[in-house]
Amino acid sequence: MRISIAALKPWPCMAKPRKPGAPPLTQGQTVWLAASACGVLVPLAPYLPLWLDALCAVAILWRGWLLWRRVPLPPRWLVNLMAVVGAIGVAIHFRTLLGKDPGVALLTLFLALKLFETRSARDAFAVVLLGFFLILSQFFYTQSMVTAVAMVATTLLVTTTLAVLQRSSTPPLQAVRLAGSMLLQALPFMLLLFLFFPRVSGPLWGLPADAYSGLSGLSDTMSPGSISRLSLSDAIAFRARFTEPPPDQVQLYWRGPVLTRYDGRSWRLGLSGLASEAAAQMAQPVDYEITLEPHNQPWLFALDHPSRLPPNAVLTKNFQVVAKRPVRSRLRYAMQSVLDAHVGRNESADALGEALQLPADFNPRARALAASLRAVSRNDAEVVARMLARFRKETFVYTLSPPLLGRDSVDEFLFDTRRGFCEHYASAFVFVMRAAGIPARVVTGYQGGEVNPVDGYLLVRQLDAHAWTEIWLPQRGWQRVDPTAEIAPNRVEQNLAAAIPQSDALPLMTRPELNWLRQLRYRWEAASNAWNQWVLGYDEQRQYALLRLLGIPSPDWRALGALTATAGGVLMLALTAWTLHQRRRADPLHALWQRFERKLAKRGLGRAMWEGPADYAARLVRALPRREAEIASICTIYQAARYGKLIESAVTRRQQLSELKRRIAAFTS
Amino acid sequence: MPLADHDIEALLNAANRVILGKERQIRLALACLLARGHLLIEDIPGVGKTTLAHVLARLLGLDFQRIQFTSDLLPADILGVSVFDRESGAFRFHPGPVFAQLVLADEVNRATPKAQSALLEAMEERQVTTEGRTRPLPEPFFVIATQNPAHQIGTFPLPESQLDRFLMRIELGYPDRTAERELLAGADRRELVAQLSPCLPPPALLAMQRQVANVHAAPALLDYVQALAEHTRQSADFVAGLSPRAALGLLAAARAWALLEGRDHALPEDIQAVLPSVIGHRLLAPAGPGNGNLARRLIEAVALP
């Protein structure tokens, strides 16, 4: 690889302003510019107002038409008018001109309109610089791997345009290669800055809160249909990585919001304080790390029952892990859980009272059922067992598309329709338990997950959303009971697809017959996980960890800054040295001659770079007449070796060289 | 070494006795001839352009024709014409003045482009095609064209494509003070020319031309020629770069120059010596300084590889 000269030339826009008679842009250069503008604007289009998209499209098409028909550009006042009208439009649309979205919209507008002002190279460079900035602004909206790849392609396009602006005669392929090699040369610096430039914790720009309204996930209420709706989405909720092999599928209960209050239709979060105890260490704890996709809610997911929390999170009385603020960007946290913990043996009366609360005059048949169960049972545990047996024995159906339910939803479900999804079973079970006087509550979260064979991460998707229950028994505390497992054991032991009837519509990818497609998706998800973990997730902590690895004991931003500067300088020097080294390749004859030149340069008799050996010798003899013989012999040998007829025998040539070497060594200035 | 050193020296000395103070130009003209190129002399009238051509013709023993270019000159006046011969009852070709070993095309830019191109095509092809028959021109064939500076009245400047056919363009310039004094005090130039006798007969000239082609050009020298051409193509100092033909011409001229210097290999100094004359009429500066300056700038901008 050779360092390209084009990158070292000053840009024309830095030079003094061109005279009015400066050469206009060629057709080819303008085409490249328009293509660059297209490449920059198209990926931004989904994030801009529709009218602005249309305006930009019209502007580029119009510019293309002018170019094609070789029609002169529209007058300046028209372009200025369009800019003013567009800016007013942006101001009206966003109700302000400040901030991220209006800023990007304005720049987009200017880029599209600047195409009508490309009279000289200066204008063109303005377009290119604006383009570079707008490429970067895409990161405001999405930071996925696909975006990054597309951005690299756009950057190559704009850099190629820059190369074509420097020399209009460059053939396209050669310009692309030049731009590509320039970007490759920038790569070491990019990596250096990525690794060592001090990270600012928290986003650089405060992104508006409503930016997250579209994020889906478990909410803080549960009513019939709320979880089955989630199960249509195969989006990833979070990824988990276990330090040891993951526990059995049936143990993977990822605890989310715990719902205690019931109003006859919906379950809601109850009053909650902080827990006084973490899960008792009954069994071997499980260590794992979760990378949670943003869901705009404060809760974090953890296996039942969490025993060690990440910083910035608390454990509620319901054993729910809650972060201090909603999760609005991808969050990575380490957790530890105990799978078979017994918790809540000393539950307070308040909490138990809340877990018995039921709205009056709803579901009379279910209350009657509870009373009858209570009457035939000796203790609480038997009530639970009888209720579960009832689910098992009667013809309940587990389905994604249950019939709609009326006012007494539990009654209708238990005695009439008998078709439901996990939220129906959990809801009905808790209702009956409470009616029978057993404290009970609904727990929502995710159940199961699948291991991505490519990178070993456990993927938990939205369709793994689940609702189960907990009942409180004296001396034993809170016990998990999953009524769904009674009706559809496959749901818990395998996954959703195995549990529901064939007729139910499932997301395409979860269907078992599309195995090859699933393999492809595993790879893709592993790749984007790696991207999330190592590129987007490369934060202060990982940076400091890397520094510690490099032997800096207590890294801070100053160390990072110093390291960046030092490494940048070293890299620059290395590149320069390499370039210089390349320029004078290892030719022994040339090296000898240079040694001779250096000796004379000390006396102010250096050779001009264009001066031939004979002319140089003549000048030296004029300056140093007494050493004529020495100078003449050295120059004659060099001249003959470099420009004379080839000497066939290698021996003679070596003799020639050693003779030259001896004479130059003997030559003292 | 079969170099005809003494012949060359004698030739140059004889020429320098007639044309005073123009050693370098005479040497360049001879190098041009040895490199089998044609020569363009550009200068105001009366500085010895025609005399130089006469002197070379005499000293080389070449048969000599002079064509005075005027605005009414026709191609047939240069190439020749077929005339009906009563005795044989057939057309007979009367060769024009171009059928000579050394042709002096005087004031070539006074003629119309049509007449100019007739000569220039003959120069390039080294043959003449008229009335469907191709006739070769004699060997050696050497054209010296003289040209008045383009700003003079009544001239048709040669276009770049035709200028490219001349290997070198030289300017004679005014003689310096001593040379002019000697000129004024000396004998009539025309008589001196008439007294000259050939120093280098045509067979020896042809042999020397072949020897020029054998002058060694080392890879380092070819690198240098390429670097020079590359620079003219990249730099903003030139409107258009050197053509490959120009680069070939540069190398050929440098070889001839090296031979005149008595060497069997060419040096960068040889390139630099012939460069102003070889590229002067081929390169255009965007605007401003003279061509001599342009060549100097080119030399000083390109490092020896």
Side-chain angles (χ1 to χ4, degrees), chain A residues 124-202:
Chain A
F125 282 104
V127 171
V128 166
L129 291 182
L130 204 52
F132 276 130
F133 187 81
L134 277 174
I135 291 175
L136 202 61
S137 73
Q138 269 185 63
F139 271 153
F140 288 138
Y141 303 106
T142 159
Q143 306 184 344
S144 74
M145 199 166 46
V146 183
T147 316
V149 170
M151 278 171 62
V152 169
T154 321
T155 310
L156 182 66
L157 175 65
V158 179
T159 314
T160 307
T161 309
L162 198 59
V164 174
L165 287 177
Q166 286 280 358
R167 273 186 74 80
S168 62
S169 56
T170 319
L173 210 64
Q174 200 184 329
V176 171
R177 275 180 48 197
L178 176 66
S181 78
M182 281 164 70
L183 289 185
L184 276 181
Q185 284 160 22
L187 198 64
F189 291 94
M190 192 203 85
L191 283 177
L192 179 82
L193 290 178
F194 173 76
L195 287 176
F196 297 124
F197 193 82
R199 289 291 192 282
V200 183
S201 36

Side-chain angles (χ1 to χ4, degrees), chain A residues 227-425:
Chain A
I227 291 184
S228 46
R229 201 166 50 239
L230 273 184
S231 67
L232 293 176
S233 157
D234 58 358
I236 287 174
F238 56 87
R239 293 175 167 93
R241 193 181 59 188
F242 292 86
T243 44
E244 279 151 41
D248 283 348
Q249 194 80 3
V250 291
Q251 287 184 302
L252 293 176
Y253 279 89
W254 303 96
R255 193 180 185 89
V258 178
L259 311 175
T260 52
R261 287 195 297 160
Y262 186 54
D263 62 1
R265 174 145 197 95
S266 301
W267 292 89
R268 292 174 193 287
L269 288 172
L271 301 169
S272 193
L274 294 186
S276 49
E277 49 159 355
Q281 300 268 350
M282 299 286 286
Q284 187 66 27
V286 180
D287 284 299
Y288 53 99
E289 186 189 67
I290 286 185
T291 309
L292 180 61
E293 298 292 313
H295 59 93
N296 204 26
Q297 300 282 3
W299 40 78
L300 309 181
F301 295 93
L303 285 176
D304 270 350
H305 283 275
S307 54
R308 202 179 61 220
L309 299 182
N312 292 326
V314 294
L315 189 67
T316 69
K317 272 183 184 165
N318 297 333
F319 304 102
Q320 196 188 329
V321 186
V322 178
K324 296 218 167 97
R325 55 179 68 85
V327 180
R328 283 177 173 164
S329 55
R330 203 171 282 109
L331 180 68
R332 185 172 49 224
Y333 55 91
M335 286 287 311
Q336 191 187 60
S337 293
V338 178
L339 295 182
D340 298 310
H342 290 276
V343 291
R345 257 175 288 191
N346 308 317
E347 195 63 284
S348 70
D350 281 356
L352 292 181
E354 197 183 29
L356 283 168
Q357 165 269 340
L358 276 183
D361 24 290
F362 273 101
N363 304 318
R365 284 190 280 174
R367 282 176 184 273
L369 172 69
S372 68
L373 286 175
R374 171 56 80 189
V376 298
S377 305
R378 280 165 310 204
N379 56 22
D380 289 353
E382 202 179 325
V383 175
V384 174
R386 282 176 189 277
M387 185 62 202
L388 290 178
R390 186 182 166 82
F391 276 136
R392 220 167 25 239
K393 284 178 191 149
E394 297 189 16
T395 53
F396 280 92
V397 176
Y398 181 69
T399 171
L400 264 176
S401 45
L404 292 177
L405 299 173
R407 179 176 182 272
D408 291 324
S409 54
V410 174
D411 274 6
E412 284 172 40
F413 167 67
L414 275 180
F415 300 103
D416 303 337
T417 65
R418 297 188 179 182
R419 295 165 66 83
F421 200 55
C422 56
E423 67 259 37
H424 298 86
Y425 293 97

